Amino acid sequence: MNEKLNHEATESSTKRMIKNMGDIEQKILIVDDEKANRKVLKELLQDQATIIFAKNGEQAIELAKKHVPDLMLLDVIMPDKSGFEVIEEIKNDPVTMAVSVIFITGLANSDDEERGFDLGGCDYIYKPFKANIVIARVLMHLELIYQRKMLDSIAHIDALTGISNRRKMDAVLVDEVAANKRDKKQLLVAIIDVDFFKQYNDNYGHGAGDIALKKVAATFREVLKRPRDFAARYGGEEFVMILPDSNLDGAKLVMNNLMQALADKAIIHEHSQVSRYLTMSIGAVLIDGEQSTSPEQVIGIADRLLYQAKRQGRNQIVVETFFKTQAAV
Ligand SMILES: [Mg+2]
């Protein structure tokens, strides 16, 4: 237990983390019944992550549920619950099942090691601690966890515009339709289409078209203020907007602001038949939580209303409430 800390290694590792991980703060839950062990691990790892401690198995499970750490360093031998019992509970709870677990053990026994991996552990650290090994192992896992999270978020982002993509939209729509029913609120779902976009691309080129789409996406960022308000690129020049806990007046205001925000950008479109500038058409439906509706139906209705907006001359909003058609705004 008298391991000397290798400060040089700690420092260069810290730099590596900062370079790779930006501002992301990761959490490590250290579980060990011996105070001296907790102290050594804290000294080794406090520059790499936020550290939380548990001194027994029960506390470990409680804190894992509360904080959902990225990584857990889990002592195998503890008086109340063994590390093996703790990991079984962690991996069986949907809240904590994704937490990565490194076992800490003094047992260099391959049967035990095998058991730990079978239960879902991702690595072993042996006592007495060797500073460089502890840091190297923990950093490797923190980086893997970080990269997995990044990939996950990239998979939900539209590469061109940086807003959410259709896959993310599908998931959000399912959640919000369910929440709308449960909470008996009103949910607005809108499909937004850029007018005469084919003509824009044909005349100004696809590079200019891409820039225009980025500017359209930016209008959502400017206009949507509430945390659950959501916008995604649906595909091509189509976007979807989801406003939970909305109402007709509020939704109309947001949609008008959206059209105004695009108008303010004054993107010249000499080949549009409705304006000198780039415009959008919006088909939107406000669904009452009392109505029984599926996400597919909601999109189907919004799509039909978008088509109506196009047919009526584009550059306009058509919104329907409770399945009763309202006049265009
Ligand atoms: Mg112990």
Side-chain angles (χ1 to χ4, degrees):
M1 201 40 53
N2 204 8
E3 302 296 323
K4 241 190 349 187
L5 304 190
N6 184 333
H7 287 290
E8 212 176 311
T10 310
E11 217 172 275
S12 73
S13 305
T14 307
K15 279 179 195 147
R16 190 162 115 233
M17 292 290 280
I18 289 165
K19 190 177 68 168
N20 290 347
M21 326 255 299
D23 299 327
I24 302 288
E25 196 181 29
Q26 292 180 296
K27 273 184 270 181
I28 303 177
L29 174 58
I30 293 174
V31 187
D32 201 303
D33 59 308
E34 283 170 58
K35 193 176 178 190
N37 288 343
R38 296 196 297 271
K39 188 165 174 278
V40 170
L41 289 171
K42 180 192 170 188
E43 280 167 2
L44 289 174
L45 300 171
Q46 62 190 357
D47 290 338
Q48 319 298 343
T50 300
I51 310 288
I52 306 155
F53 295 103
K55 55 188 176 195
N56 57 51
E58 282 302 334
Q59 200 182 27
I61 291 161
E62 186 193 319
L63 292 178
K65 282 181 190 168
K66 187 175 167 198
H67 296 282
V68 193
D70 296 279
L71 182 63
M72 193 165 165
L73 303 189
L74 180 57
D75 188 15
V76 174
I77 300 182
M78 293 184 289
D80 67 328
K81 267 187 163 102
S82 77
F84 294 143
E85 290 172 287
V86 172
I87 195 175
E88 281 194 288
E89 291 197 34
I90 295 291
K91 294 292 170 186
N92 280 323
D93 186 329
V95 175
T96 51
M97 67 192 303
V99 174
S100 296
V101 176
I102 298 178
F103 285 109
I104 302 166
T105 182
L107 316 162
N109 170 328
S110 64
D111 286 343
D112 270 336
E113 204 171 301
E114 187 182 18
R115 183 166 172 219
F117 283 118
D118 284 345
L119 291 170
C122 63
D123 212 343
Y124 269 87
I125 290 173
Y126 292 99
K127 289 185 274 196
F129 301 123
K130 297 237 184 292
N132 287 347
I133 294 177
V134 171
I135 291 172
R137 288 247 157 94
V138 167
L139 280 186
M140 178 186 77
H141 287 286
L142 286 179
E143 287 189 15
L144 283 174
I145 293 158
Y146 171 77
Q147 284 166 8
R148 200 165 60 217
K149 281 190 177 171
M150 285 301 288
L151 276 178
D152 225 41
S153 85
I154 289 166
H156 290 124
I157 288 173
D158 175 60
L160 175 67
T161 61
I163 65 172
S164 295
N165 64 14
R166 182 173 185 153
R167 188 199 307 203
K168 177 70 177 172
M169 191 281 290
D170 286 337
V172 169
L173 186 63
V174 167
D175 288 350
E176 291 297 358
V177 167
N180 197 50
K181 266 179 210 166
R182 187 186 62 224
D183 303 338
K184 310 240 182 306
K185 301 280 189 181
Q186 294 176 15
L187 172 72
L188 184 100
V189 176
I191 304 183
I192 296 101
D193 189 87
V194 180
D195 296 322
F196 297 107
F197 190 68
K198 185 183 181 303
Q199 286 79 353
Y200 190 90
N201 265 338
D202 288 351
N203 286 284
Y204 301 106
H206 285 269
D210 285 352
I211 292 169
L213 289 178
K214 285 185 194 175
K215 289 183 178 171
V216 173
T219 62
F220 292 103
R221 289 203 197 94
E222 290 162 23
V223 168
L224 300 186
K225 301 289 183 214
R226 302 178 309 166
R228 266 169 72 198
D229 290 349
F230 174 85
R233 184 168 174 218
Y234 197 41
E237 70 273 25
E238 279 195 335
F239 295 82
V240 165
M241 180 170 73
I242 299 174
L243 307 180
D245 190 6
S246 192
N247 58 54
L248 190 58
D249 287 342
K252 280 180 182 173
L253 183 67
V254 170
M255 291 189 285
N256 280 319
N257 288 347
L258 209 56
M259 292 184 76
Q260 187 58 50
L262 185 59
D264 288 346
K265 295 193 190 309
I267 304 164
I268 299 285
H269 189 355
E270 291 158 303
H271 307 274
S272 165
Q273 292 169 33
V274 292
S275 170
R276 286 191 58 226
Y277 301 101
L278 200 70
T279 58
M280 52 172 68
S281 298
I282 304 181
V285 58
L286 189 71
I287 300 286
D288 191 86
E290 306 281 356
Q291 296 279 354
S292 184
T293 342
S294 69
E296 294 75 20
Q297 273 178 298
V298 174
I299 287 293
I301 297 167
D303 204 39
R304 174 170 60 72
L305 296 169
L306 172 64
Y307 182 74
Q308 193 182 324
K310 294 271 175 193
R311 217 178 38 218
Q312 287 173 189
R314 295 180 169 86
N315 191 22
Q316 62 187 274
I317 301 161
V318 175
V319 56
E320 190 174 275
T321 314
F322 310 122
F323 307 114
K324 201 178 95 209
T325 306
Q326 314 253 334
V329 178

